[in-house]
Amino acid sequence: MGQAIPSTSDIVISTYEARRAAGADEWTACDAALEAFRRRHPEASSDLANTFIADVLRDYTARH
């Protein structure tokens, strides 16, 4: 059976978590998450990318 393709949200969260675990501050981790989103969706506007990152990380931090 094949592996499931991770969602964009999963990629954003895992990138954020990895950077924070490596000792990065919150801004640096958020920038890395934003870059991960942009690699997945290069056609997205900056407003969409920023809103997506903010929403995903807000939901993530509320659960943890």
Side-chain angles (χ1 to χ4, degrees):
M1 201 172 214
Q3 290 183 322
I5 297 172
S7 70
T8 301
S9 295
D10 291 341
I11 290 169
V12 164
I13 291 167
S14 65
T15 301
Y16 176 83
E17 287 178 328
R19 290 302 195 294
R20 292 292 284 166
D25 63 25
E26 189 169 355
W27 282 107
T28 302
C30 287
D31 282 344
L34 183 58
E35 185 57 35
F37 176 87
R38 288 184 174 145
R39 280 193 304 273
R40 185 102 186 240
H41 296 285
E43 75 288 355
S45 69
S46 292
D47 286 342
L48 175 62
N50 289 329
T51 300
F52 184 86
I53 297 301
D55 289 348
V56 166
L57 294 179
R58 185 181 312 112
D59 290 347
Y60 169 75
T61 55
R63 289 180 286 146
H64 292 92

